[in-house]
C-alpha cells in the first residue's frame, strides 16, 4: 500500500495497517508524536483504531529535545 507521509510517497509493508503500527514501524513509539491523518489530528488513544488505506495522507511530527 502506498500513502503520503510528511509530503513524500511511502510504501507500507502489508502488516502496517493502522497508525499505531506505522508509528511502531517508524520506531517512534517511545517518542511524543502528533499525527495528522487525512487532515484530522488524532488523539493517541485513536492510533490503534485509525486504519490506513491506499492514498491516505499523513503528517507525523515528533519532538526532539536538546540544549
Amino acid at each position: 500500500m502506498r500513502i503520503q507521509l510528511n509530503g513524500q510517497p511511502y510504501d507500507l509493508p502489508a502488516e502496517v495497517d493502522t497508525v499505531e503500527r506505522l508509528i511502531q514501524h517508524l520506531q517512534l513509539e517511545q517518542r511524543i508524536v502528533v499525527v495528522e491523518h487525512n487532515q484530522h489530528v488524532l488523539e493517541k488513544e485513536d492510533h490503534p483504531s485509525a486504519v490506513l488505506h491506499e492514498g491516505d495522507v499523513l503528517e507525523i511530527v515528533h519532538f526532539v529535545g536538546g540544549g
Side-chain angles (χ1 to χ4, degrees):
M1 169 176 24
R2 181 173 270 204
I3 63 169
Q4 183 173 317
L5 178 62
N6 294 342
Q8 301 295 319
Y10 191 85
D11 291 314
L12 293 176
E15 66 273 7
V16 179
D17 59 354
T18 66
V19 169
E20 179 180 59
R21 289 187 179 158
L22 175 60
I23 291 169
Q24 292 167 349
H25 175 74
L26 298 172
Q27 299 179 344
L28 296 173
E29 65 268 26
Q30 298 301 318
R31 298 190 182 196
I32 297 171
V33 297
V34 176
V35 179
E36 181 183 89
H37 182 207
N38 295 329
Q39 300 183 340
H40 297 283
V41 177
L42 298 178
E43 299 290 337
K44 185 175 181 176
E45 58 266 13
D46 294 329
H47 293 179
S49 63
V51 177
L52 299 174
H53 300 282
E54 181 78 28
D56 279 358
V57 178
L58 289 104
E59 295 289 331
I60 299 179
V61 177
H62 65 275
F63 300 92
V64 179

